[in-house]
């Protein structure tokens, strides 16, 4: 039953998220609102129920599988990709390299700044 | 079995969700097995191999994507609950989040903007259509959220999903070498950069390299999903 409880909980939070963003006209996808609500619930609760850690762990450990049906969709877009393959390919490669490097640098830089300002006893 | 019986059987199978669902799981299992046997090389990522196997199968059997998706949608549907499930690793990272919240927040906000604007900028410089530029913008965000953003800003959600997968694989393949080249050794920094750039596929790769890197990558993916959903539609509205 643990698995059922866990999955029910995830679906219920997604449902509340989907209904909530539509009712309040928020610019956030429903599942993200659901994630945020579940996160706040866990903070209030102070622990992760076993049923939830089982179902969440199961889903997240094979996250890759869930991308496959969307990935196969590439066959539908063969024409557009054929016509614009160069801009698409270069945009993906250059942007991936740049995003990764800049994100890492910003994190390193900010951490050095924070460390410099923080008194020694807090380190 | 006579030819007409075989034809009837085939008509049933190609229209039934059972076939699409089963071949998706079979292709993924085979691709995952190959990935393990070949020493988990990122280029043989199970998503790439499974997608290639499935496209070959659909082409050979003359089944269209819409019919295939009738079955595959059951797997695709799980992306929603999986996004909700990200709350669990996020909660488990609270001690680290508390300690490093400012660097993580800064890296997330800058990373999300650079990820979208650099993709749009390169595509625009090289003469891609506006539709393609908008479709590219959420490419670093985890698929269910990226598809929602794409729809909202006027891109093609299904093509965005494909570009998200390709970006994830690129990030997983390039990541290790790029960090080595830049001399970045800290697992928390590598994890955050991986999660912001390459979402779930990068996170899966990060967990192979170290648990700490994986945890930070999962955290960054969740934060990026949230920040992107809030920021990107506004940031990109001037393009349309």
């Amino acid at each position: 039953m643990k698995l059922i409880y866990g999955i029910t909980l995830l679906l219920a939070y997604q449902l509340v998220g989907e209904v909530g963003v539509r009712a309040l006209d928020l610019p956030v996808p429903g599942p993200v609102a659901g994630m945020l609500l579940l996160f706040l619930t866990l903070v209030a609760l102070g622990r992760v129920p076993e049923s939830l850690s089982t179902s969440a762990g199961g889903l997240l450990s094979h996250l890759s599988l869930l991308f496959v049906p969307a990935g196969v969709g590439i066959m539908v877009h063969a024409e557009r990709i054929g016509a614009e393959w160069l801009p698409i390919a270069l945009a993906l490669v250059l942007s991936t390299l740049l995003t990764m490097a800049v994100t890492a640098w910003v994190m390193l830089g900010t951490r050095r700044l924070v460390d410099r300002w923080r008194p020694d006893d807090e380190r | 079995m006579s030819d007409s019986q075989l034809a009837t059987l085939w008509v049933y199978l190609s229209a039934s969700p059972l076939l699409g669902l089963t071949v998706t799981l079979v292709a993924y299992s085979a691709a995952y097995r190959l990935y393990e046997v070949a020493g988990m090389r990122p280029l043989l990522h199970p998503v790439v191999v499974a997608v290639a196997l499935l496209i070959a199968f659909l082409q050979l059997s003359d089944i269209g994507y819409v019919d295939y998706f009738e079955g595959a949608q059951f797997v695709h549907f799980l992306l929603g609950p999986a996004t909700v499930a990200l709350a669990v690793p996020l909660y488990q990272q609270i001690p680290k989040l508390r300690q490093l919240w400012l660097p993580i927040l800064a890296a997330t906000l800058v990373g999300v903007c650079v990820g979208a604007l650099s993709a749009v900028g390169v595509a625009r410089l090289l003469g891609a259509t506006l539709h393609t530029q908008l479709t590219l913008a959420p490419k670093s965000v985890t698929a269910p959220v990226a598809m929602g953003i794409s729809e909202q800003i006027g891109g093609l959600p299904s093509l965005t999903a494909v570009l998200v997968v390709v970006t994830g694989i690129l990030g997983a393949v390039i990541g290790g070498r790029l960090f080595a080249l830049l001399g970045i050794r800290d697992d928390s920094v590598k994890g955050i950069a991986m999660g912001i750039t390459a979402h779930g596929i990068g996170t899966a790769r990060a967990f192979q390299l170290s648990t700490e890197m994986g945890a930070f990558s999962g955290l960054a993916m969740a934060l990026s999903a949230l920040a992107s959903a809030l920021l990107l539609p506004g940031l990109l509205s001037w393009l349309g």
Side-chain angles (χ1 to χ4, degrees):
Chain A
M1 279 312 278
K2 286 236 158 70
L3 188 66
I4 311 269
Y5 288 148
I7 292 187
T8 309
L9 214 53
L10 292 175
L11 288 175
Y13 271 88
Q14 187 185 349
L15 184 64
V16 172
E18 300 278 11
V19 172
V21 296
R22 279 169 181 77
L24 301 172
D25 206 15
L26 296 175
V28 183
V32 177
M35 171 185 81
L36 199 64
L37 287 173
L38 181 58
F39 176 72
L40 295 176
T41 310
L42 292 176
V43 170
L45 198 64
R47 64 186 179 87
V48 181
E50 201 191 323
S51 58
L52 188 61
S53 68
T54 309
S55 60
L59 267 180
L60 293 177
S61 65
H62 279 284
L63 198 55
S64 298
L65 165 66
L66 313 188
F67 292 101
V68 170
V72 177
I74 199 167
M75 61 190 276
V76 178
H77 300 293
E79 210 168 292
R80 181 178 288 261
I81 294 171
E84 300 186 70
W85 68 273
L86 187 66
I88 292 177
L90 279 179
L92 289 182
V93 172
L94 293 178
S95 171
T96 299
L97 284 171
L98 190 70
T99 309
M100 211 174 251
V102 170
T103 308
W105 283 329
V106 169
M107 173 136 176
L108 277 175
T110 325
R111 207 169 61 183
R112 278 190 199 128
L113 272 178
V114 171
D115 281 347
R116 197 174 300 165
W117 284 339
R118 190 177 289 173
D120 284 333
D121 56 2
E122 270 188 41
R123 268 185 204 173
Chain B
M1 199 186 276
S2 74
D3 272 3
S4 73
Q5 273 176 312
L6 199 66
T8 318
L9 178 66
W10 186 243
V11 167
Y12 160 72
L13 274 182
S14 55
S16 151
L18 182 62
L19 184 67
L21 181 57
T22 312
V23 291
T24 303
L25 292 173
V26 168
Y28 183 78
S29 308
Y32 198 83
R33 192 81 196 95
L34 175 71
Y35 182 57
E36 279 181 329
V37 169
M40 303 214 163
R41 290 170 188 280
L43 264 179
L44 282 178
H45 196 286
V47 175
V48 187
V49 177
V51 166
L53 286 173
L54 285 166
I55 290 179
F57 171 76
L58 295 178
Q59 297 284 357
L60 286 175
S61 56
D62 205 24
I63 297 176
Y65 182 64
V66 175
D67 286 329
Y68 161 73
F69 200 77
E70 278 290 307
Q73 63 173 326
F74 299 111
V75 172
H76 183 78
F77 170 79
L78 292 175
L79 280 169
T83 305
V84 177
L86 285 174
V88 175
L90 192 61
Y91 172 77
Q92 285 159 343
Q93 295 312 311
I94 285 184
K96 282 172 189 154
L97 190 62
R98 201 168 272 165
Q99 203 183 355
L100 288 169
W101 70 272
L102 190 60
I104 291 174
L105 188 68
T108 302
L109 292 180
V110 174
V112 160
C113 295
V114 170
L117 293 180
S118 62
V120 171
V122 172
R124 172 167 278 208
L125 278 177
L126 294 171
T129 58
L130 181 63
H131 212 136
T132 300
Q133 293 170 31
L134 291 171
T135 302
L136 271 162
K139 59 124 188 50
S140 282
V141 190
T142 189
V145 179
M147 290 174 79
I149 294 174
S150 180
E151 191 169 16
Q152 213 171 355
I153 62 178
L156 280 169
S158 59
L159 180 55
T160 295
V162 175
L163 299 178
V164 164
V165 171
V166 176
T167 304
I169 292 161
L170 272 175
V173 174
I174 294 172
R177 275 168 217 158
L178 182 69
F179 295 134
L181 195 71
L182 296 175
I184 294 166
R185 278 178 219 93
D186 191 315
D187 274 346
S188 63
V189 175
K190 289 197 280 190
I192 293 287
M194 187 65 111
I196 295 289
T197 312
H199 54 88
I201 297 178
T203 300
R205 175 73 185 149
F207 268 116
Q208 287 172 0
L209 299 175
S210 90
T211 315
E212 195 187 356
M213 184 173 168
F216 271 100
S217 185
L219 167 67
M221 163 171 71
L223 288 175
S224 147
L226 200 59
S228 302
L230 292 172
L231 292 178
L232 291 190
L235 192 66
L236 295 165
S237 59
W238 53 269
L239 275 174

